[in-house]
């Protein structure tokens, strides 16, 4: 077996399809985000503006968050000391979990090292807790949910994206006595569309199913306190398990689930992905708790972000650029060709100092390649002018189609 030849073949396939991923070496500038420094491969350093980050509200630079992290380091040092079961549960863990439980009006919360791990660990554990569990999963659910379902080994059905009629058909065909769980998302990050929360909750009640909602792109962003789309739509009490992240709108890192005391107790007691992982360090936990508490009372940041997304969508549409319609804060622009998608991304970075990653297969289906912009309250008008003008120019150079703006 020539192992290197196999690796060469696998990597060559990615290059051949223009979907080889390149990691950008960038340094965010404290107090100046979304401005950053790009350490170019040629050794030069270039000033850039980040337009594809998930720090949606700039909380990774918020002085309240940074001060909380500094204080935690001075008080408790660097690491947590181990897994939660051994020596890694600190006052910072319990304080953050109380903050999260309050955010979602749940009895308890459980913090993981990432939202990916929270999804994977929880969804793979639930079949152990409910014998014969059937899970109904939206076809566009995140990879972490798909992986959790695969590893759980239980029965599963995939329902067409946001198609509640199809979901009903699958529920009606299932064993009425079997335990059931419906897994879906509130904001689907690649298209920016919303999940049908009301309809899913109605079906869950009709068929006596649990609900599992991934709110990672919605927590901090929607609802009067940032509790996500479920809070905004008044449905928090009808969702059994809410998954969220601390690494997007809250600007730090980590993930969590929020649910009933019994559900949290069972997951923390049975999930290997939780039991055997060193817990997050105090500084991260303190920063996340401060960020959640801050956003509970600062609606103006959510309003400013929504306004920035609305303005960018309108400006790009006015130029005939194919903005994919969505009600959310995410602004996807359809390209439909992996080579040209990468060409646009490369030119924006090198020629205009604008950083946005191309989104290609397998993240999105072939033929739907896109650039995904995430405007924030800290992207000012001159930055938006730069972006719009650059895209207009490059769209002509790449000979990409435009579509007239609907009246």
């Amino acid at each position: 077996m020539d192992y290197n030849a196999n690796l060469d073949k696998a990597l060559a396939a990615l290059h051949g399809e223009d979907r080889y991923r390149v990691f950008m070496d960038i340094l965010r500038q404290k107090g100046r985000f979304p401005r950053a420094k790009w350490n170019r491969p040629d050794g030069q350093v270039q000033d850039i503006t980040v337009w594809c980050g998930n720090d949606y509200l700039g909380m990774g630079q918020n002085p309240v968050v940074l001060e909380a992290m500094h204080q935690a380091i001075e008080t408790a040092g660097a690491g947590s000391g181990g897994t939660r079961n051994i020596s890694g549960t600190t006052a910072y863990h319990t304080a953050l979990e109380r903050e999260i439980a309050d955010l979602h009006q749940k009895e308890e919360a459980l913090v993981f090292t990432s939202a990916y791990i929270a999804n994977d660990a929880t969804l793979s554990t639930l079949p152990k807790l409910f014998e014969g569990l059937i899970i109904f999963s939206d076809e566009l659910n995140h990879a972490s949910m798909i992986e959790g379902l695969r590893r759980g080994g239980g029965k599963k059905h995939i329902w067409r994206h946001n198609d509640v009629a199809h979901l009903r058909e699958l529920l009606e065909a299932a064993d009425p006595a079997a335990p059931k769980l419906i897994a879906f998302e509130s904001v689907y990050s690649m298209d920016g569309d919303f999940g049908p929360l009301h309809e899913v909750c109605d079906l869950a009640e009709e068929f006596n199913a649990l609900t599992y909602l991934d709110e990672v792109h919605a927590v901090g962003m929607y609802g009067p306190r940032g509790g996500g789309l479920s809070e905004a739509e008044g449905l928090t009490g009808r969702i059994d398990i809410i998954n969220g992240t601390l690494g997007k709108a809250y600007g730090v890192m980590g993930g969590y689930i929020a649910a009933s005391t019994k559900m949290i107790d069972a997951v923390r007691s049975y999930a290997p992905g939780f039991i055997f992982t060193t817990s997050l360090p105090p500084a991260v936990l303190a920063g996340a708790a401060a960020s959640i508490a801050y956003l509970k009372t600062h609606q103006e940041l959510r309003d400013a972000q929504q306004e920035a997304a609305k303005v960018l969508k309108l400006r790009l549409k006015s130029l005939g650029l194919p903005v994919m319609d969505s009600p959310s804060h995410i602004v996807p622009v359809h390209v439909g060709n992996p080579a040209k998608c990468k060409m646009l991304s490369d030119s924006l970075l090198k020629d205009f100092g604008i950083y946005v990653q191309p989104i290609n297969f397998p993240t999105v289906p072939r033929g739907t390649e896109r650039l995904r912009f995430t405007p924030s309250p800290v992207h000012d008008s001159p930055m938006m002018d730069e972006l719009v003008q650059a895209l207009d120019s490059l769209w002509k150079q790449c000979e990409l189609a435009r579509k007239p703006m609907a009246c």
Side-chain angles (χ1 to χ4, degrees), residues 8-34:
D8 288 339
K9 181 180 178 181
L11 293 171
L14 296 178
H15 283 288
E17 295 181 10
D18 293 302
R19 60 185 185 92
Y20 178 77
R21 298 170 189 247
V22 177
F23 291 163
M24 304 301 300
D25 184 357
I26 66 172
L27 179 64
R28 287 157 53 108
Q29 302 294 290
K30 177 184 174 184
R32 297 190 64 232
F33 185 76

PDB file of all heavy atoms in Angstrom, residues 8-34:
ATOM      1  N   ASP A   8      -2.165  11.764  -2.025  1.00  0.00           N
ATOM      2  CA  ASP A   8      -2.024  12.641  -3.191  1.00  0.00           C
ATOM      3  C   ASP A   8      -3.274  12.599  -4.057  1.00  0.00           C
ATOM      4  O   ASP A   8      -3.756  13.633  -4.551  1.00  0.00           O
ATOM      5  CB  ASP A   8      -0.817  12.218  -4.034  1.00  0.00           C
ATOM      6  CG  ASP A   8       0.508  12.546  -3.355  1.00  0.00           C
ATOM      7  OD1 ASP A   8       0.510  13.424  -2.469  1.00  0.00           O
ATOM      8  OD2 ASP A   8       1.525  11.912  -3.707  1.00  0.00           O
ATOM      9  N   LYS A   9      -3.835  11.398  -4.239  1.00  0.00           N
ATOM     10  CA  LYS A   9      -5.030  11.239  -5.059  1.00  0.00           C
ATOM     11  C   LYS A   9      -6.223  11.980  -4.441  1.00  0.00           C
ATOM     12  O   LYS A   9      -6.973  12.664  -5.147  1.00  0.00           O
ATOM     13  CB  LYS A   9      -5.349   9.754  -5.216  1.00  0.00           C
ATOM     14  CG  LYS A   9      -6.569   9.473  -6.079  1.00  0.00           C
ATOM     15  CD  LYS A   9      -6.821   7.974  -6.185  1.00  0.00           C
ATOM     16  CE  LYS A   9      -8.070   7.681  -7.021  1.00  0.00           C
ATOM     17  NZ  LYS A   9      -8.338   6.213  -7.099  1.00  0.00           N
ATOM     18  N   ALA A  10      -6.374  11.832  -3.125  1.00  0.00           N
ATOM     19  CA  ALA A  10      -7.496  12.479  -2.449  1.00  0.00           C
ATOM     20  C   ALA A  10      -7.396  13.993  -2.531  1.00  0.00           C
ATOM     21  O   ALA A  10      -8.391  14.686  -2.791  1.00  0.00           O
ATOM     22  CB  ALA A  10      -7.557  12.024  -0.992  1.00  0.00           C
ATOM     23  N   LEU A  11      -6.201  14.532  -2.311  1.00  0.00           N
ATOM     24  CA  LEU A  11      -6.013  15.979  -2.357  1.00  0.00           C
ATOM     25  C   LEU A  11      -6.124  16.514  -3.775  1.00  0.00           C
ATOM     26  O   LEU A  11      -6.663  17.600  -4.010  1.00  0.00           O
ATOM     27  CB  LEU A  11      -4.658  16.348  -1.753  1.00  0.00           C
ATOM     28  CG  LEU A  11      -4.525  16.089  -0.240  1.00  0.00           C
ATOM     29  CD1 LEU A  11      -3.082  16.271   0.217  1.00  0.00           C
ATOM     30  CD2 LEU A  11      -5.448  17.016   0.546  1.00  0.00           C
ATOM     31  N   ALA A  12      -5.622  15.728  -4.758  1.00  0.00           N
ATOM     32  CA  ALA A  12      -5.711  16.153  -6.153  1.00  0.00           C
ATOM     33  C   ALA A  12      -7.166  16.268  -6.597  1.00  0.00           C
ATOM     34  O   ALA A  12      -7.524  17.138  -7.398  1.00  0.00           O
ATOM     35  CB  ALA A  12      -4.958  15.172  -7.049  1.00  0.00           C
ATOM     36  N   ALA A  13      -8.019  15.392  -6.065  1.00  0.00           N
ATOM     37  CA  ALA A  13      -9.441  15.448  -6.415  1.00  0.00           C
ATOM     38  C   ALA A  13     -10.056  16.769  -5.968  1.00  0.00           C
ATOM     39  O   ALA A  13     -10.864  17.361  -6.689  1.00  0.00           O
ATOM     40  CB  ALA A  13     -10.179  14.273  -5.784  1.00  0.00           C
ATOM     41  N   LEU A  14      -9.673  17.231  -4.797  1.00  0.00           N
ATOM     42  CA  LEU A  14     -10.183  18.516  -4.312  1.00  0.00           C
ATOM     43  C   LEU A  14      -9.688  19.667  -5.181  1.00  0.00           C
ATOM     44  O   LEU A  14     -10.453  20.571  -5.532  1.00  0.00           O
ATOM     45  CB  LEU A  14      -9.760  18.732  -2.856  1.00  0.00           C
ATOM     46  CG  LEU A  14     -10.317  17.751  -1.820  1.00  0.00           C
ATOM     47  CD1 LEU A  14      -9.756  18.085  -0.443  1.00  0.00           C
ATOM     48  CD2 LEU A  14     -11.841  17.811  -1.791  1.00  0.00           C
ATOM     49  N   HIS A  15      -8.398  19.639  -5.521  1.00  0.00           N
ATOM     50  CA  HIS A  15      -7.848  20.694  -6.383  1.00  0.00           C
ATOM     51  C   HIS A  15      -8.527  20.673  -7.749  1.00  0.00           C
ATOM     52  O   HIS A  15      -8.826  21.735  -8.323  1.00  0.00           O
ATOM     53  CB  HIS A  15      -6.338  20.508  -6.544  1.00  0.00           C
ATOM     54  CG  HIS A  15      -5.540  20.945  -5.356  1.00  0.00           C
ATOM     55  ND1 HIS A  15      -5.353  22.269  -5.022  1.00  0.00           N
ATOM     56  CD2 HIS A  15      -4.870  20.220  -4.412  1.00  0.00           C
ATOM     57  CE1 HIS A  15      -4.602  22.362  -3.937  1.00  0.00           C
ATOM     58  NE2 HIS A  15      -4.290  21.132  -3.541  1.00  0.00           N
ATOM     59  N   GLY A  16      -8.784  19.462  -8.265  1.00  0.00           N
ATOM     60  CA  GLY A  16      -9.381  19.328  -9.590  1.00  0.00           C
ATOM     61  C   GLY A  16     -10.783  19.882  -9.659  1.00  0.00           C
ATOM     62  O   GLY A  16     -11.239  20.313 -10.730  1.00  0.00           O
ATOM     63  N   GLU A  17     -11.484  19.881  -8.539  1.00  0.00           N
ATOM     64  CA  GLU A  17     -12.846  20.404  -8.500  1.00  0.00           C
ATOM     65  C   GLU A  17     -12.902  21.836  -7.967  1.00  0.00           C
ATOM     66  O   GLU A  17     -13.982  22.367  -7.694  1.00  0.00           O
ATOM     67  CB  GLU A  17     -13.718  19.504  -7.622  1.00  0.00           C
ATOM     68  CG  GLU A  17     -13.908  18.108  -8.177  1.00  0.00           C
ATOM     69  CD  GLU A  17     -14.791  17.245  -7.296  1.00  0.00           C
ATOM     70  OE1 GLU A  17     -15.411  17.780  -6.350  1.00  0.00           O
ATOM     71  OE2 GLU A  17     -14.878  16.033  -7.543  1.00  0.00           O
ATOM     72  N   ASP A  18     -11.731  22.454  -7.791  1.00  0.00           N
ATOM     73  CA  ASP A  18     -11.644  23.837  -7.296  1.00  0.00           C
ATOM     74  C   ASP A  18     -12.329  24.015  -5.944  1.00  0.00           C
ATOM     75  O   ASP A  18     -12.947  25.047  -5.675  1.00  0.00           O
ATOM     76  CB  ASP A  18     -12.248  24.827  -8.302  1.00  0.00           C
ATOM     77  CG  ASP A  18     -11.433  24.911  -9.575  1.00  0.00           C
ATOM     78  OD1 ASP A  18     -10.237  25.242  -9.487  1.00  0.00           O
ATOM     79  OD2 ASP A  18     -11.980  24.628 -10.654  1.00  0.00           O
ATOM     80  N   ARG A  19     -12.234  22.991  -5.081  1.00  0.00           N
ATOM     81  CA  ARG A  19     -12.820  23.107  -3.755  1.00  0.00           C
ATOM     82  C   ARG A  19     -11.831  22.740  -2.651  1.00  0.00           C
ATOM     83  O   ARG A  19     -12.221  22.390  -1.550  1.00  0.00           O
ATOM     84  CB  ARG A  19     -14.101  22.281  -3.652  1.00  0.00           C
ATOM     85  CG  ARG A  19     -13.964  20.800  -3.901  1.00  0.00           C
ATOM     86  CD  ARG A  19     -15.342  20.125  -3.886  1.00  0.00           C
ATOM     87  NE  ARG A  19     -15.265  18.670  -4.003  1.00  0.00           N
ATOM     88  CZ  ARG A  19     -15.213  17.843  -2.964  1.00  0.00           C
ATOM     89  NH1 ARG A  19     -15.230  18.340  -1.736  1.00  0.00           N
ATOM     90  NH2 ARG A  19     -15.151  16.540  -3.134  1.00  0.00           N
ATOM     91  N   TYR A  20     -10.535  22.846  -2.964  1.00  0.00           N
ATOM     92  CA  TYR A  20      -9.516  22.674  -1.933  1.00  0.00           C
ATOM     93  C   TYR A  20      -9.564  23.878  -0.990  1.00  0.00           C
ATOM     94  O   TYR A  20      -9.612  25.022  -1.439  1.00  0.00           O
ATOM     95  CB  TYR A  20      -8.133  22.574  -2.573  1.00  0.00           C
ATOM     96  CG  TYR A  20      -7.006  22.444  -1.581  1.00  0.00           C
ATOM     97  CD1 TYR A  20      -6.754  21.238  -0.943  1.00  0.00           C
ATOM     98  CD2 TYR A  20      -6.195  23.539  -1.271  1.00  0.00           C
ATOM     99  CE1 TYR A  20      -5.723  21.112  -0.025  1.00  0.00           C
ATOM    100  CE2 TYR A  20      -5.163  23.424  -0.357  1.00  0.00           C
ATOM    101  CZ  TYR A  20      -4.932  22.215   0.269  1.00  0.00           C
ATOM    102  OH  TYR A  20      -3.908  22.093   1.180  1.00  0.00           O
ATOM    103  N   ARG A  21      -9.592  23.606   0.302  1.00  0.00           N
ATOM    104  CA  ARG A  21      -9.757  24.678   1.280  1.00  0.00           C
ATOM    105  C   ARG A  21      -8.395  25.198   1.751  1.00  0.00           C
ATOM    106  O   ARG A  21      -7.521  24.421   2.126  1.00  0.00           O
ATOM    107  CB  ARG A  21     -10.580  24.185   2.476  1.00  0.00           C
ATOM    108  CG  ARG A  21     -11.988  23.766   2.069  1.00  0.00           C
ATOM    109  CD  ARG A  21     -12.710  23.067   3.204  1.00  0.00           C
ATOM    110  NE  ARG A  21     -13.969  22.483   2.745  1.00  0.00           N
ATOM    111  CZ  ARG A  21     -15.167  22.884   3.123  1.00  0.00           C
ATOM    112  NH1 ARG A  21     -15.295  23.861   3.992  1.00  0.00           N
ATOM    113  NH2 ARG A  21     -16.252  22.304   2.657  1.00  0.00           N
ATOM    114  N   VAL A  22      -8.264  26.511   1.736  1.00  0.00           N
ATOM    115  CA  VAL A  22      -7.033  27.168   2.188  1.00  0.00           C
ATOM    116  C   VAL A  22      -7.335  27.941   3.460  1.00  0.00           C
ATOM    117  O   VAL A  22      -8.289  28.743   3.502  1.00  0.00           O
ATOM    118  CB  VAL A  22      -6.491  28.126   1.105  1.00  0.00           C
ATOM    119  CG1 VAL A  22      -5.253  28.851   1.621  1.00  0.00           C
ATOM    120  CG2 VAL A  22      -6.181  27.357  -0.171  1.00  0.00           C
ATOM    121  N   PHE A  23      -6.562  27.703   4.510  1.00  0.00           N
ATOM    122  CA  PHE A  23      -6.741  28.438   5.760  1.00  0.00           C
ATOM    123  C   PHE A  23      -6.021  29.777   5.658  1.00  0.00           C
ATOM    124  O   PHE A  23      -4.843  29.838   5.281  1.00  0.00           O
ATOM    125  CB  PHE A  23      -6.178  27.650   6.945  1.00  0.00           C
ATOM    126  CG  PHE A  23      -6.956  26.406   7.278  1.00  0.00           C
ATOM    127  CD1 PHE A  23      -6.398  25.425   8.072  1.00  0.00           C
ATOM    128  CD2 PHE A  23      -8.244  26.218   6.812  1.00  0.00           C
ATOM    129  CE1 PHE A  23      -7.105  24.270   8.386  1.00  0.00           C
ATOM    130  CE2 PHE A  23      -8.961  25.086   7.118  1.00  0.00           C
ATOM    131  CZ  PHE A  23      -8.391  24.098   7.912  1.00  0.00           C
ATOM    132  N   MET A  24      -6.741  30.845   6.001  1.00  0.00           N
ATOM    133  CA  MET A  24      -6.162  32.177   5.955  1.00  0.00           C
ATOM    134  C   MET A  24      -5.521  32.504   7.296  1.00  0.00           C
ATOM    135  O   MET A  24      -6.145  32.328   8.349  1.00  0.00           O
ATOM    136  CB  MET A  24      -7.252  33.204   5.644  1.00  0.00           C
ATOM    137  CG  MET A  24      -8.011  32.931   4.357  1.00  0.00           C
ATOM    138  SD  MET A  24      -6.926  32.889   2.919  1.00  0.00           S
ATOM    139  CE  MET A  24      -6.250  34.533   2.998  1.00  0.00           C
ATOM    140  N   ASP A  25      -4.296  32.980   7.238  1.00  0.00           N
ATOM    141  CA  ASP A  25      -3.560  33.367   8.448  1.00  0.00           C
ATOM    142  C   ASP A  25      -3.844  34.840   8.721  1.00  0.00           C
ATOM    143  O   ASP A  25      -3.208  35.732   8.156  1.00  0.00           O
ATOM    144  CB  ASP A  25      -2.068  33.127   8.226  1.00  0.00           C
ATOM    145  CG  ASP A  25      -1.230  33.418   9.461  1.00  0.00           C
ATOM    146  OD1 ASP A  25      -1.795  33.870  10.476  1.00  0.00           O
ATOM    147  OD2 ASP A  25      -0.003  33.194   9.413  1.00  0.00           O
ATOM    148  N   ILE A  26      -4.848  35.088   9.584  1.00  0.00           N
ATOM    149  CA  ILE A  26      -5.222  36.468   9.848  1.00  0.00           C
ATOM    150  C   ILE A  26      -5.121  36.775  11.337  1.00  0.00           C
ATOM    151  O   ILE A  26      -5.180  35.878  12.181  1.00  0.00           O
ATOM    152  CB  ILE A  26      -6.656  36.787   9.359  1.00  0.00           C
ATOM    153  CG1 ILE A  26      -7.708  36.001  10.152  1.00  0.00           C
ATOM    154  CG2 ILE A  26      -6.796  36.503   7.869  1.00  0.00           C
ATOM    155  CD1 ILE A  26      -9.128  36.410   9.837  1.00  0.00           C
ATOM    156  N   LEU A  27      -4.941  38.045  11.636  1.00  0.00           N
ATOM    157  CA  LEU A  27      -4.867  38.513  13.016  1.00  0.00           C
ATOM    158  C   LEU A  27      -5.902  39.613  13.200  1.00  0.00           C
ATOM    159  O   LEU A  27      -5.780  40.704  12.624  1.00  0.00           O
ATOM    160  CB  LEU A  27      -3.463  39.052  13.332  1.00  0.00           C
ATOM    161  CG  LEU A  27      -3.252  39.599  14.753  1.00  0.00           C
ATOM    162  CD1 LEU A  27      -3.415  38.490  15.787  1.00  0.00           C
ATOM    163  CD2 LEU A  27      -1.875  40.243  14.872  1.00  0.00           C
ATOM    164  N   ARG A  28      -6.936  39.311  13.981  1.00  0.00           N
ATOM    165  CA  ARG A  28      -7.954  40.316  14.282  1.00  0.00           C
ATOM    166  C   ARG A  28      -7.326  41.431  15.110  1.00  0.00           C
ATOM    167  O   ARG A  28      -6.478  41.181  15.952  1.00  0.00           O
ATOM    168  CB  ARG A  28      -9.111  39.670  15.051  1.00  0.00           C
ATOM    169  CG  ARG A  28      -9.992  38.778  14.203  1.00  0.00           C
ATOM    170  CD  ARG A  28     -10.762  37.742  15.034  1.00  0.00           C
ATOM    171  NE  ARG A  28     -11.517  38.285  16.128  1.00  0.00           N
ATOM    172  CZ  ARG A  28     -12.848  38.366  16.168  1.00  0.00           C
ATOM    173  NH1 ARG A  28     -13.560  37.954  15.146  1.00  0.00           N
ATOM    174  NH2 ARG A  28     -13.472  38.845  17.226  1.00  0.00           N
ATOM    175  N   GLN A  29      -7.777  42.647  14.863  1.00  0.00           N
ATOM    176  CA  GLN A  29      -7.232  43.814  15.544  1.00  0.00           C
ATOM    177  C   GLN A  29      -8.144  44.242  16.685  1.00  0.00           C
ATOM    178  O   GLN A  29      -9.274  44.674  16.453  1.00  0.00           O
ATOM    179  CB  GLN A  29      -7.057  44.966  14.553  1.00  0.00           C
ATOM    180  CG  GLN A  29      -6.150  44.642  13.375  1.00  0.00           C
ATOM    181  CD  GLN A  29      -4.718  44.420  13.813  1.00  0.00           C
ATOM    182  OE1 GLN A  29      -4.035  45.346  14.222  1.00  0.00           O
ATOM    183  NE2 GLN A  29      -4.262  43.185  13.728  1.00  0.00           N
ATOM    184  N   LYS A  30      -7.672  44.105  17.918  1.00  0.00           N
ATOM    185  CA  LYS A  30      -8.475  44.464  19.082  1.00  0.00           C
ATOM    186  C   LYS A  30      -8.926  45.925  18.985  1.00  0.00           C
ATOM    187  O   LYS A  30      -8.132  46.828  18.749  1.00  0.00           O
ATOM    188  CB  LYS A  30      -7.663  44.269  20.362  1.00  0.00           C
ATOM    189  CG  LYS A  30      -8.403  44.683  21.628  1.00  0.00           C
ATOM    190  CD  LYS A  30      -7.508  44.564  22.847  1.00  0.00           C
ATOM    191  CE  LYS A  30      -8.194  45.123  24.084  1.00  0.00           C
ATOM    192  NZ  LYS A  30      -7.321  45.099  25.270  1.00  0.00           N
ATOM    193  N   GLY A  31     -10.226  46.113  19.140  1.00  0.00           N
ATOM    194  CA  GLY A  31     -10.790  47.452  19.084  1.00  0.00           C
ATOM    195  C   GLY A  31     -11.026  47.976  17.684  1.00  0.00           C
ATOM    196  O   GLY A  31     -11.601  49.053  17.521  1.00  0.00           O
ATOM    197  N   ARG A  32     -10.610  47.204  16.654  1.00  0.00           N
ATOM    198  CA  ARG A  32     -10.769  47.663  15.272  1.00  0.00           C
ATOM    199  C   ARG A  32     -11.562  46.670  14.417  1.00  0.00           C
ATOM    200  O   ARG A  32     -11.730  46.882  13.224  1.00  0.00           O
ATOM    201  CB  ARG A  32      -9.400  47.905  14.624  1.00  0.00           C
ATOM    202  CG  ARG A  32      -8.571  48.992  15.280  1.00  0.00           C
ATOM    203  CD  ARG A  32      -7.351  49.319  14.434  1.00  0.00           C
ATOM    204  NE  ARG A  32      -7.733  49.880  13.145  1.00  0.00           N
ATOM    205  CZ  ARG A  32      -7.289  49.427  11.969  1.00  0.00           C
ATOM    206  NH1 ARG A  32      -6.452  48.394  11.922  1.00  0.00           N
ATOM    207  NH2 ARG A  32      -7.686  49.985  10.849  1.00  0.00           N
ATOM    208  N   PHE A  33     -12.014  45.558  15.017  1.00  0.00           N
ATOM    209  CA  PHE A  33     -12.735  44.562  14.241  1.00  0.00           C
ATOM    210  C   PHE A  33     -13.948  45.211  13.575  1.00  0.00           C
ATOM    211  O   PHE A  33     -14.615  46.046  14.197  1.00  0.00           O
ATOM    212  CB  PHE A  33     -13.198  43.418  15.165  1.00  0.00           C
ATOM    213  CG  PHE A  33     -13.842  42.277  14.427  1.00  0.00           C
ATOM    214  CD1 PHE A  33     -13.068  41.376  13.717  1.00  0.00           C
ATOM    215  CD2 PHE A  33     -15.216  42.129  14.419  1.00  0.00           C
ATOM    216  CE1 PHE A  33     -13.668  40.336  13.028  1.00  0.00           C
ATOM    217  CE2 PHE A  33     -15.825  41.088  13.729  1.00  0.00           C
ATOM    218  CZ  PHE A  33     -15.045  40.196  13.040  1.00  0.00           C
ATOM    219  N   PRO A  34     -14.210  44.929  12.271  1.00  0.00           N
ATOM    220  CA  PRO A  34     -13.741  43.791  11.484  1.00  0.00           C
ATOM    221  C   PRO A  34     -12.444  44.001  10.706  1.00  0.00           C
ATOM    222  O   PRO A  34     -12.162  43.241   9.780  1.00  0.00           O
ATOM    223  CB  PRO A  34     -14.907  43.574  10.524  1.00  0.00           C
ATOM    224  CG  PRO A  34     -15.417  44.958  10.270  1.00  0.00           C
ATOM    225  CD  PRO A  34     -15.291  45.668  11.584  1.00  0.00           C
TER     226      PRO A  34
END
